[in-house]
Amino acid sequence: MRIPLLARVHLGALAVLFVLALSACLLVAGLPRAMQASFDEALQRSLAAAPATQADLAVSVTSLSREDDLYERAQFDARDRRWHALLPPALRPMVVPAGTGAGHMSAKTALTPVAGTGGQTYINLGWLSDAGQRVDWVQGRAPGKQSTTRYQGATIPVFEVGVVEEALTKMNLKVGQTKTIGESDYAAVRIVGVFKAKNPGDRYWSHNQDILRVTQLLPPGKLEFEHHITTLISDEGLAALSGDARNLIYRWILPLDARPVSALDVPGLGVALTEFGRVVELQSSNARSPYRLETGLPKLLDDFRAALSTAQTVMYLVLGGLLAVALGVIVLAVQLLADRMDHTLTLARARGGSLRQVAGTAAALTSLAVAPAAAAGYALSSLVPGPLLPIVHAGPVLVVLTAAGFAAARTAVTHRAPLHERRDDVAATRPSARRITLEVLVVVLALAGAYLLRARGLTQEAGQDPFLLLVPIALTLAAALVTLRCYPYPLRLLVRLTARGRSAVPFLGLTRAARARSASALPVLILLPALGVSVFAAVISDGIAGTQRLASWQSVGAPIKMTSKIEIPEPAIEQVRRAPGVAQVVLAQTAKVQVGYAAERADAIAVDVAQWRRLIEDAPISLPALSGGTSALVSPELRGRGTLEIGWQSRLKLTPQAVIASVPGFYTTGKFVVVPLSAQVRPSVNTLLIKGDASLDELRRLVPSATVESQEAALRAIQDDPLTTTVRWTLVVVTVALASYALVAVVLSLVIGAADRARAVSFLRTLGLSDRQARRLTVLEILPMILLTALVGLGLGLGLPAALGPGVDLSSYAGDVPVGDYTPGLVTPAALAAGLTAVAVLGAYAHIVIGRRRSLGAVLRVGDLS
């Protein structure tokens, strides 16, 4: 057959098919690339934001004897090169080259007590390979060579050390002072200088916080804090440092560069880390002091994988639904093209054309529209940044194969015998017992799968949980089968009711709707997943948005919160009250207090709860009322103790009034208590809760010692996360695309059945049917199936979040707050239902207007009226 001639004759149907295939291929090939690019960005951000001690690789070994000691820099450098050479291929691009970035080596002692302090003060010795590039000496000088001195009749080494300025005040140290350290093998440290970090915010110092900060520890059962500081020694001091007399640990830091990392590499990275740790241990020459790999990277990867798994699952659901609906709409368009070619192919078959020729013609004509559209969609998807995934290549191919295959198969079945005739006025045959049994089995399995998913939760140890992927498909198929089976029964009841009326139009319209051909199953199978998935996506998106707002309020506790480690002076508080945009200020004091008279401690906040409640009255968070100057709100860990006595500025005896799970903006776990601010003799205010739209920079200027947070900034931080942004935007795009496909499916179903409806209306026009009655008849024929399918699809979309239960854990995208409220607004469902109804009604009216222009002779054949 002449394919170009057929293409010119059926140009309109081919154009529709081209547009549908182009949009489908662009979405199927473009969305996965955008998603994967955002997954990669999210992983890179999470690794870059994590403390260096968690993300970087650290090889450590404990020196237990002089044979294990390293005395010079060259020994450290040789091992550093060895660790880089042993890196597995998967890790090598992520680790910065040796001697660059934040990579360095260190030797530090641990738990080295100062003699005569009863174990309350510890001064450790530390050597950093690049200390000269990282610190500036602000007092004294840099440490030099070690010397010796006499102590208790023995000669002991004296290490020249430098300390951070904080140690001078918190540990009462002075430049020039000498301290004796150790318990049996004594040594002395002489403080010769004070240093400060050139860039304290550098990730480098995450590995050396013990050098930059004084560590305070409260041992179990004690009331006084221990103070720990690690000092800096020189290269010459390293030569005298031995693990034979100290708790000495050597470390090699291999910093991570997150830029080359891809989310696709996560499974391989876990295996590579395990292999690297095993290889590092094999380098040990002494079984008593083996080399160890220390890193928090596996946990970071596991946490990301959990969040990624949820994102991928939701994306698989919505993209799988989008692909299924897109293929269904394309199949509808192919059916429209096949109906238009039916007369031509029937004539060709009657004139001796083989079945292969007829089916090949249909497939070739379909491919003529679909193949260029698929290529164009695939090419346009290359403009979307992101890696090339298998689905990017397979999606367009699947669209072409589905369209061409359906065209060939439908034509082969339809024209298997020459001069085929079909009776459209015969009611559908009764389904067989085998078919009914199979459909019932599908419904039962879908309900059982949903129940098991909620009952057992998720199992994602080996990847995606198959239940989470199969249950939504089964529920959608079950809903479609129930709709197709139950659809005629309420209509038949309405037919019986309308049969008693005087007007024939309702009876005829509903009768034709109840006796719809089996071809009407295809629009149902398209509209149900389209509406179900689009509503599901809209509900999920609304749930995420609402929970993000809740999480931002829970993290801050007020529109604006100012916290300071020291007391905020009263003049500064008055300046804050008078600042532009400040509507209300609530004073609070926070501290860690003693519970009872033992060493037990708890977090406490003293605040006027009534004022705080008024400040957050419009927020999604709340606190129970607190009455009385001795009442308190306590955490679950402090419940059931009767009168609670705490040591703060004075001894306070409190009566627990209510138990609260958290204090918004302050405490979420552990032991905590909320007391009235009036319970304090003289409140030492260090926290301000502010209502208004004041400038955060202005507030920071007024109280330089305070950290300023706002609920709006916290919300933006949650929303700006790459994974969160991608999930929400993908849900929005899929919702719009599925709604559009649903409308296209309605239009195509109207066009496909146009000839049959025109013939029926023409028959009735010969009996006196008016144009107005013809419009009503057509609307009554179309609307029942559209409305019923729309209602079932909306119900399916609204019920899927509840049916999936624990499978839809989106807390990673809502500030780690569980997304449990999937109560949707009425805007999206009403808009979708109204849109479908409007399209159906307009299509019916357009069909009548077009059909009115035709004469009866153009529709009815000779003998139809005899």
Side-chain angles (χ1 to χ4, degrees):
M1 292 186 186
R2 299 174 62 182
I3 301 299
L5 178 60
L6 288 175
R8 287 197 299 270
V9 173
H10 304 290
L11 186 59
L14 290 176
V16 172
L17 191 55
F18 178 89
V19 172
L20 291 176
L22 174 65
S23 63
C25 293
L26 178 58
L27 289 173
V28 171
L31 283 178
R33 294 188 65 170
M35 287 166 43
Q36 190 60 47
S38 70
F39 294 161
D40 294 346
E41 183 185 357
L43 176 58
Q44 294 163 9
R45 281 196 186 184
S46 65
L47 294 181
T53 51
Q54 296 184 25
D56 294 346
L57 308 181
V59 179
S60 69
V61 63
T62 301
S63 177
L64 299 177
S65 64
R66 296 189 180 277
E67 290 75 13
D68 302 325
D69 292 340
L70 302 179
Y71 297 107
E72 56 186 23
R73 183 185 296 267
Q75 294 174 299
F76 282 89
D77 291 336
R79 285 164 176 78
D80 189 46
R81 290 190 295 269
R82 185 193 303 175
W83 306 140
H84 282 82
L86 292 175
L87 285 169
L91 289 175
R92 196 163 296 162
M94 301 170 50
V95 178
V96 301
T100 62
H104 63 283
M105 301 158 286
S106 67
K108 297 178 183 177
T109 65
L111 298 176
T112 309
V114 176
T117 63
Q120 294 298 117
T121 304
Y122 293 81
I123 297 180
N124 300 309
L125 303 175
W127 171 83
L128 297 179
S129 59
D130 55 353
Q133 304 170 12
R134 300 288 180 176
V135 302
D136 289 324
W137 296 93
V138 295
Q139 293 185 41
R141 59 177 176 83
K145 297 174 60 176
Q146 57 97 201
S147 57
T148 59
T149 188
R150 300 286 296 175
Y151 181 76
Q152 294 185 356
T155 302
I156 62 173
V158 179
F159 293 92
E160 290 191 351
V161 302
V163 296
V164 71
E165 191 171 9
E166 181 180 318
L168 299 181
T169 56
K170 290 189 175 182
M171 299 180 66
N172 196 25
L173 301 178
K174 299 177 181 178
V175 176
Q177 189 177 33
T178 300
K179 292 282 188 180
T180 303
I181 58 174
E183 293 178 337
S184 55
D185 293 309
Y186 295 104
V189 293
R190 180 179 295 116
I191 302 173
V192 298
V194 177
F195 65 86
K196 67 176 183 179
K198 293 184 177 180
N199 184 9
D202 196 312
R203 289 174 59 84
Y204 172 94
W205 291 108
S206 179
H207 295 283
N208 302 290
Q209 284 296 309
D210 57 328
I211 292 179
L212 214 57
R213 298 283 184 270
V214 175
T215 304
Q216 292 182 316
L217 299 177
L218 183 64
K222 294 186 178 181
L223 300 178
E224 295 184 7
F225 285 94
E226 295 178 352
H227 293 79
H228 299 248
I229 189 62
T230 300
T231 60
L232 281 182
I233 62 174
S234 62
D235 290 358
E236 294 84 355
L238 173 65
L241 198 60
S242 174
D244 188 41
R246 311 274 172 250
N247 298 320
L248 181 59
I249 301 174
Y250 300 130
R251 282 191 177 87
W252 291 261
I253 306 301
L254 283 64
L256 210 65
D257 182 5
R259 288 174 295 182
V261 185
S262 171
L264 297 174
D265 301 332
V266 169
L269 290 178
V271 177
L273 285 169
T274 303
E275 175 64 18
F276 184 51
R278 185 185 66 83
V279 173
V280 165
E281 290 182 4
L282 293 177
Q283 307 305 308
S284 304
S285 58
N286 187 344
R288 294 177 56 224
S289 57
Y291 288 102
R292 301 183 306 275
L293 176 64
E294 298 176 348
T295 178
L297 187 57
K299 184 180 184 306
L300 292 175
L301 295 178
D302 289 343
D303 293 343
F304 175 79
R305 190 184 308 176
L308 178 63
S309 177
T310 303
Q312 287 177 329
T313 300
V314 175
M315 295 300 100
Y316 289 157
L317 290 177
V318 296
L319 290 181
L322 176 62
L323 178 60
V325 171
L327 292 177
V329 174
I330 290 174
V331 166
L332 267 181
V334 172
Q335 182 177 340
L336 173 63
L337 178 61
D339 287 347
R340 297 289 176 86
M341 293 192 302
D342 185 71
H343 179 71
T344 303
L345 297 180
T346 300
L347 185 60
R349 189 81 168 102
R351 290 179 176 178
S354 67
L355 189 61
R356 179 181 299 177
Q357 289 177 320
V358 173
T361 299
L365 189 60
T366 301
S367 300
L368 186 63
V370 176
Y378 179 80
L380 289 175
S381 70
S382 63
L383 301 177
V384 180
L388 289 175
L389 304 174
I391 185 62
V392 175
H393 307 296
V397 175
L398 180 61
V399 170
V400 174
L401 293 179
T402 300
F406 178 79
R410 184 186 184 280
T411 304
V413 171
T414 303
H415 298 279
R416 59 184 179 275
L419 297 177
H420 66 95
E421 288 289 339
R422 290 176 296 181
R423 292 289 305 275
D424 296 336
D425 57 338
V426 179
T429 58
R430 187 181 299 273
S432 64
R434 180 181 300 177
R435 181 174 178 180
I436 293 177
T437 302
L438 181 61
E439 292 176 354
V440 171
L441 180 62
V442 170
V443 174
V444 171
L445 289 178
L447 296 177
Y451 171 77
L452 289 177
L453 182 62
R454 289 187 59 85
R456 73 177 178 85
L458 292 181
T459 57
Q460 294 180 338
E461 290 81 0
Q464 295 294 328
D465 190 338
F467 262 65
L468 193 56
L469 299 177
L470 295 177
V471 167
I473 299 174
L475 288 174
T476 303
L477 182 58
L481 292 176
V482 172
T483 302
L484 290 173
R485 282 283 161 251
C486 299
Y487 162 71
Y489 298 107
L491 288 183
R492 290 173 185 174
L493 178 61
L494 291 176
V495 167
R496 291 184 180 182
L497 295 176
T498 55
R500 302 176 182 178
R502 300 181 60 182
S503 175
V505 171
F507 172 77
L508 292 174
L510 294 177
T511 300
R512 285 184 55 79
R515 294 184 178 183
R517 291 188 305 169
S518 58
S520 63
L522 188 56
V524 172
L525 293 176
I526 295 172
L527 289 177
L528 261 178
L531 287 172
V533 176
S534 61
V535 173
F536 170 75
V539 170
I540 292 294
S541 181
D542 289 344
I544 292 176
T547 310
Q548 286 176 340
R549 181 171 179 268
L550 172 63
S552 66
W553 278 100
Q554 288 185 348
S555 65
V556 180
I560 301 174
K561 180 177 69 174
M562 301 179 65
T563 55
S564 174
K565 293 182 179 180
I566 61 176
E567 182 179 358
I568 301 176
E570 181 62 30
I573 297 176
E574 289 302 320
Q575 288 181 333
V576 170
R577 284 195 174 101
R578 293 193 299 267
V582 174
Q584 181 183 356
V585 177
V586 177
L587 310 183
Q589 178 184 355
T590 61
K592 189 173 286 291
V593 299
Q594 181 185 22
V595 179
Y597 289 90
E600 184 181 10
R601 293 183 177 270
D603 293 307
I605 176 172
V607 64
D608 188 328
V609 176
Q611 291 187 18
W612 194 1
R613 283 164 55 88
R614 287 193 295 271
L615 185 137
I616 58 174
E617 58 185 357
D618 298 327
I621 58 175
S622 62
L623 281 171
L626 185 61
S627 60
T630 59
S631 300
L633 306 176
V634 299
S635 64
E637 288 82 353
L638 295 177
R639 78 168 81 195
R641 300 194 181 191
T643 301
L644 187 68
E645 186 171 352
I646 64 173
W648 201 343
Q649 291 178 335
S650 61
R651 304 299 301 184
L652 299 177
K653 292 185 177 181
L654 306 171
T655 303
Q657 181 173 322
V659 177
I660 53 176
S662 64
V663 180
F666 294 92
Y667 318 118
T668 56
T669 59
K671 302 173 183 178
F672 53 82
V673 58
V674 180
V675 303
L677 188 65
S678 59
Q680 296 287 64
V681 177
R682 194 197 71 83
S684 179
V685 175
N686 58 8
T687 302
L688 301 179
L689 305 175
I690 303 170
K691 183 176 183 179
D693 56 355
S695 169
L696 302 187
D697 292 335
E698 176 65 15
L699 295 178
R700 293 188 184 97
R701 187 187 66 81
L702 295 177
V703 187
S705 65
T707 300
V708 183
E709 304 172 75
S710 73
Q711 178 267 329
E712 293 182 355
L715 180 59
R716 285 194 301 270
I718 296 173
Q719 293 175 338
D720 290 344
D721 179 77
L723 274 181
T724 302
T725 303
T726 300
V727 168
R728 294 206 63 192
W729 273 109
T730 302
L731 292 176
V732 171
V733 171
V734 169
T735 300
V736 174
L738 287 174
S740 302
Y741 278 133
L743 297 179
V744 172
V746 172
V747 173
L748 289 178
S749 63
L750 288 172
V751 175
I752 289 174
D756 179 58
R757 282 190 299 275
R759 186 166 176 267
V761 170
S762 297
F763 272 120
L764 295 173
R765 284 173 63 189
T766 63
L767 302 176
L769 187 73
S770 66
D771 290 341
R772 181 177 180 182
Q773 290 174 322
R775 289 193 295 268
R776 291 175 57 198
L777 176 67
T778 306
V779 170
L780 287 174
E781 178 187 350
I782 296 171
L783 273 186
M785 178 60 77
I786 299 297
L787 288 179
L788 183 60
T789 306
L791 291 176
V792 175
L794 291 175
L796 178 66
L798 297 176
L800 272 179
L804 297 180
V808 188
D809 178 17
L810 300 173
S811 58
S812 301
Y813 319 113
D816 294 327
V817 176
V819 183
D821 184 11
Y822 294 114
T823 304
L826 298 178
V827 177
T828 300
L832 290 172
L836 287 176
T837 305
V839 169
V841 173
L842 291 176
Y845 274 82
H847 165 69
I848 296 301
V849 171
I850 296 173
R852 188 171 54 189
R853 298 175 182 176
R854 300 177 181 177
S855 64
L856 295 181
V859 179
L860 301 178
R861 296 180 297 179
V862 176
D864 281 341
L865 300 178
S866 60

